[in-house]
Amino acid sequence: NGVNPGTDFTRNFLLFFGGAGGGGGGGGTIAANAANNIPATGFAPGTVTNLVGPRVNYANSGITIELPRLKLKLPVVGVPYNNNSWNVDWLTGQVGWLEHTAFPGLNGNSVLTSHVTSRYGSAGPFAKLNKMIVGDMIFVRNNGTLYIYQVEQVLRIKSNDTSVFRHEEKSWLTLITCQDYNERTDSYSYRISVGAVLVKVEGD
């Protein structure tokens, strides 16, 4: 556990984020600051949402994540942490690693997210994240190294439950997305959180 990810990937992320974040641990300060800013990873179903503001450029990592139960294999990009929040609006067919949570593969809690509903109103990559079950495997590939995680919990939590950023001593992966769209408030009342622990590292 805690094997360093590929040096090229680490360097790219440090350059992109100006030398900040990407280490193990993390979570305490983030949890305190992001009490009401857990990323909203869902748009209104069945309608196109026009995005406002400047487009966010995410760090292209070369990492991929695979969820066999959901038949998903997706690229992972880095989402910068600005103004006590992460803007994930521009994620399209991608999984976002949230800056300042642990770097995937290192000890600590790595938080990754993707949309349950896309901005086009259709099902997003994590539309069926709630179908994951304890014991499922998750594969993270980085620069010739395969990180194998096993799911230990699948939770339905409140939208402001910052326990998703809780520090972990081991290498831990937290996947999160929105759940239960409320048309009256045009928001999602809950989040689905899938927690998995690193069980094996091997050459890919």
Side-chain angles (χ1 to χ4, degrees), residues 1 8 16 46 49-50 65 68 76 78 81 94 103 105 132 143-144 154 167 169 178 181 186 191-195 203:
N1 290 358
D8 288 342
F16 181 83
T49 299
N50 294 318
I65 185 170
V76 177
Y81 185 69
Q94 302 164 315
F103 196 89
M132 298 285 287
N143 196 35
V154 181
H167 173 66
E169 294 299 329
C178 289
Y181 177 72
D186 188 28
R191 300 290 189 269
I192 293 297
S193 173
V194 174

Side-chain angles (χ1 to χ4, degrees), residues 105-198:
L106 294 180
N107 289 344
N109 184 10
S110 305
V111 183
L112 291 85
T113 189
S114 193
H115 289 119
V116 64
T117 305
S118 76
R119 64 188 178 100
Y120 302 104
S122 57
F126 276 6
K128 296 183 178 180
L129 190 65
N130 63 334
K131 303 299 184 184
M132 298 285 287
I133 62 174
V134 173
D136 280 349
M137 309 308 290
I138 298 173
F139 304 118
V140 174
R141 290 181 166 86
N142 173 26
N143 196 35
T145 301
L146 173 64
Y147 299 86
I148 303 173
Y149 292 82
Q150 186 168 31
V151 174
E152 292 202 347
Q153 62 183 30
V154 181
L155 303 174
R156 180 174 177 266
I157 62 175
K158 288 285 190 179
S159 60
N160 62 351
D161 185 346
T162 58
S163 66
V164 294
F165 300 111
R166 181 182 60 242
H167 173 66
E168 299 288 345
E169 294 299 329
K170 296 180 179 180
S171 182
W172 189 266
L173 201 65
T174 297
L175 307 183
I176 188 168
T177 197
C178 289
Q179 179 81 359
D180 295 338
Y181 177 72
N182 185 324
E183 188 173 356
R184 181 178 60 83
T185 62
D186 188 28
S187 64
Y188 287 79
S189 302
Y190 295 92
R191 300 290 189 269
I192 293 297
S193 173
V194 174
V197 67
L198 184 66

Side-chain angles (χ1 to χ4, degrees), residues 16-17 54-60 77-80 82 87 90:
F16 181 83
F17 290 130
R55 183 183 182 91
V56 178
N57 292 315
Y58 303 117
N60 188 5
V77 296
V79 180
N82 292 317
N87 184 338
W90 298 93

